[in-house]
Amino acid sequence: MKRVALAGVGLLQASTVLADYVWPSKYDYLEDVMMLHSGYIHNGFSDAVSPCSFGTNVAGRQNAAEWIRTGYHDMATHDAAAGTGGLDASILFELDRDENVGSAFNNTFGFLKNYYNIRASSSDLLALAVITATYRCNGPKIPFRAGRIDATEAGPLGVPKPDEDVETHTNRFATAGFNTSDMIAMVACGHTVGGVHGVDFPEITGNSSETQVSFFEGGDSFGSSANFDNVVVTQYLNGSTDNPLVSGSNDTTNSDKRVFGADGNTTMHSLADPATFQSTCADILERMINAVPSTVTLSEVIEPIDIKPYITTLALNSNGTIDFAGRIRVRVSDGTNRNYNDLAVHLTYAERDGTNASTTITTTHPTLVGGTSSGLFRESFSWYEFTTVLSPSTGISKIHVHTTTPSTGATQVFDNAGNGFPIDDSLLYQKSQTCLGTVVDGNTNLTVSAFVRSDRIGEAVALNLVHEVPRQGVIMPALEVRPQPFDKTDTEKSGYVLFQTSELLSSGSRSSTFDVVLGEGDSQTIVENQAVSSISTCSS
C-alpha cells in the first residue's frame, strides 16, 4: 500500500474503506470537517447554521433552509433507471434556469468553498451541509457517506416548480426513484424550515421586497421555522396553515397542497406523530443525498474516529537529526468511558527496521479551550501534543498510542488494527526551506524542498500541486493536479539528499494544497495536503 511520510492536520493517504477504521484514510479530511466544529482545533463548518435561524446577518435569510434546498434541487434531476444525475453538484452549472431561482444556491456554495479541495468534492460537502443543517435545527441524525464525484456540466431540466400539477411532480419524483409517499415526506421535511422569498417569487408572496419571507410554518419571524419539527404537517392537517404553497391566494402555485394530499393525506397523518416525522425525515433525506450516478460508489458510513494521529512535522533539522511532532486526537464523547480530565497519553514507536525503540514519547494536554474540540452529533475530542527528536540512522516506521486513566492506572494500547500507525521516514518535507516568491502580475513561484533517504534517491520525486482554475459563472473552481518533477541537489545530510522544485502559482490558487510524492505503485511515499496558505514568503 502507499505509505505516508507526513500529513497536514486532517489529511492522510488513502486506504481501503473498511468497517473498522484503519489510519490513514482518504476520508480523514471529511471526517475532520464533520467532527471538528468548535474548540481547540476547529474548522467551524456548523457556524453558518448555528443557531438554526442564522442567515449571516442578512434579513430574511436562513442558511440552514438554503443548504437543504440546494441539496434537493441538485438531486432532483436524478434518473434512477438510467443511473445519471443526482447529488453531483451539477446545479453549479444550472443557475440560469427558472427552476433554480434565487441566491440560495450560490450562498450555499460560497460557504462550502471554504472547505472545498482535492479531497472534498462540492457534492460531498453539499451532502454534509444537508446533514449539518438538519441536525443543528434539532432534526434527526443522518449518516454520512462520502465519495461523490462532481459533475463538470449541467444536467437535464426537471426540478419540480410550484405552478406544475401534481402528476408532473409525482412523475419527476418517480424518475428519481421516489414513490408518492416519499415525495410527500421529502417536501414536508424540506419545508419544516425556511419559506418563500418575495424577491424570488412575488407571484406567490404578493411582496417583492428583498427582505420579505413567507414562512412555511407561518408567523412574521423564524419561530417554528427555525426548528426541525412537524408543525408544517400539523398546521396543514388542522387547517391553520399559513404555508404560502398551501394557502396562497393563487391556487396555481399551491404545490405543497397538491403534493401533501396526493395520497389522500395518508402520509401526512403518519407524519403528524413527532417521532415518526423525525425518523421518516432521517430516512428520506439520507436517500436524497445518496441518490448519485451509477458510476459513483459511496463509502461506508463515516463514523467519529476513536484515536487519530496528526503528524505535523517529520523533517531534518540543522543538527542533522529528525524533528518529529504532531497531535493525537482522542474521542471522549459520552459512551466512550473516557474523561479528558482523567486521561494521559504517550507513544511508543518502532525504528525503521521494525525494532521496538526503548524511548517513550510523552505528550502534553493543551489548556486553551480545555484542549478539547466538539463536532456534529455532540461528539467530543481531547488533544495530546508531542514533539521529539529521532536519530536519522535508526529512524521510525510506526507508532502505537497508549492511553492511561491516572485515577485507576488502567491502560489501553491502540495499534491501528494490529499494524501500528505507519510513519515513513524515507521522504522528509522541509517546510522551513519551502517558500513563496514575490507576486508579479498575480503569479508567484512556489519553491518546495524535501530530503530523500539515500537508498531511494534513484526514484522519481514529484510535486503534485492543485491549481484552482476559474470557471465562468461557476462559484467553485475546477481543481487540476499538475505534476512537477523535483531536481536533485548537491546537498547531503545525515544519509539524506535534498531535492527541490519550483512551480508558478496563480493568485487564485493561494488557498490550494500540494503533495510531495516519492516513487510509484506499492512503494510510493506521500507527504500530503500541505496548505499553500501556510507557506512563508521567501527571504530576499
Side-chain angles (χ1 to χ4, degrees), residues 228-249:
F228 199 99
D229 55 27
N230 69 339
V231 171
V232 69
V233 174
T234 57
Q235 288 180 342
Y236 164 80
L237 291 173
N238 66 27
S240 66
T241 185
D242 289 325
N243 181 342
L245 299 182
V246 173
S247 58
S249 60

Side-chain angles (χ1 to χ4, degrees), residues 180-470:
T180 300
S181 182
D182 295 334
M183 172 184 69
I184 297 166
M186 192 180 297
V187 173
C189 296
H191 288 177
T192 183
V193 294
V196 179
H197 289 249
V199 68
D200 300 326
F201 297 97
E203 72 278 13
I204 295 176
T205 66
N207 185 334
S208 61
S209 168
E210 285 278 350
T211 60
Q212 195 278 336
V213 180
S214 295
F215 294 99
F216 295 122
E217 294 186 346
D220 297 326
S221 60
F222 284 104
S224 180
S225 293
N227 193 43
F228 199 99
D229 55 27
N230 69 339
V231 171
V232 69
V233 174
T234 57
Q235 288 180 342
Y236 164 80
L237 291 173
N238 66 27
S240 66
T241 185
D242 289 325
N243 181 342
L245 299 182
V246 173
S247 58
S249 60
N250 181 358
D251 200 48
T252 301
T253 56
N254 284 337
S255 56
D256 278 12
K257 182 175 74 172
R258 294 188 289 272
V259 167
F260 290 166
D263 65 354
N265 290 334
T266 298
T267 298
M268 292 296 276
H269 279 295
S270 173
L271 296 176
D273 175 69
T276 300
F277 180 82
Q278 294 288 329
S279 62
T280 301
C281 290
D283 174 72
I284 199 66
L285 293 180
E286 180 184 8
R287 289 169 57 198
M288 181 185 86
I289 62 176
N290 289 348
V292 295
S294 59
T295 53
V296 172
T297 300
L298 296 179
S299 71
E300 298 293 331
V301 173
I302 294 181
E303 302 285 0
I305 306 307
D306 257 12
I307 304 292
K308 190 173 180 181
Y310 298 74
I311 310 305
T312 56
T313 303
L314 188 66
L316 275 183
N317 58 37
S318 59
N319 296 323
T321 53
I322 298 174
D323 287 332
F324 179 49
R327 300 182 179 95
I328 304 298
R329 196 193 77 184
V330 180
R331 183 168 170 253
V332 292
S333 308
D334 291 345
T336 62
N337 296 318
R338 300 187 191 108
N339 179 355
Y340 72 90
N341 288 315
D342 189 21
L343 188 65
V345 174
H346 72 271
L347 311 179
T348 55
Y349 70 96
E351 296 174 349
R352 189 179 301 131
D353 63 3
T355 303
N356 289 327
S358 58
T359 305
T360 294
I361 302 174
T362 60
T363 72
T364 58
H365 179 60
T367 57
L368 182 66
V369 201
T372 62
S373 297
S374 300
L376 197 61
F377 308 144
R378 304 186 189 279
E379 294 291 346
S380 299
F381 305 89
S382 188
W383 295 92
Y384 300 85
E385 300 177 334
F386 66 90
T387 182
T388 192
V389 176
L390 305 172
S391 167
S393 62
T394 55
I396 187 171
S397 60
K398 61 184 175 182
I399 59 174
H400 291 83
V401 178
H402 303 248
T403 62
T404 302
T405 304
S407 64
T408 64
T411 63
Q412 191 172 3
V413 181
F414 295 88
D415 62 2
N416 199 34
N419 303 310
F421 296 92
I423 308 293
D424 190 338
D425 67 0
S426 60
L427 177 63
L428 306 180
Y429 165 56
Q430 300 297 116
K431 186 174 182 180
S432 63
Q433 295 171 260
T434 297
C435 62
L436 288 165
T438 303
V439 176
V440 178
D441 296 329
N443 299 315
T444 183
N445 267 316
L446 170 66
T447 299
V448 181
S449 302
F451 275 106
V452 176
R453 206 172 59 217
S454 295
D455 60 306
R456 297 191 64 184
I457 59 174
E459 300 178 56
V461 186
L463 173 69
N464 286 351
L465 176 62
V466 181
H467 293 263
E468 298 182 352
V469 182

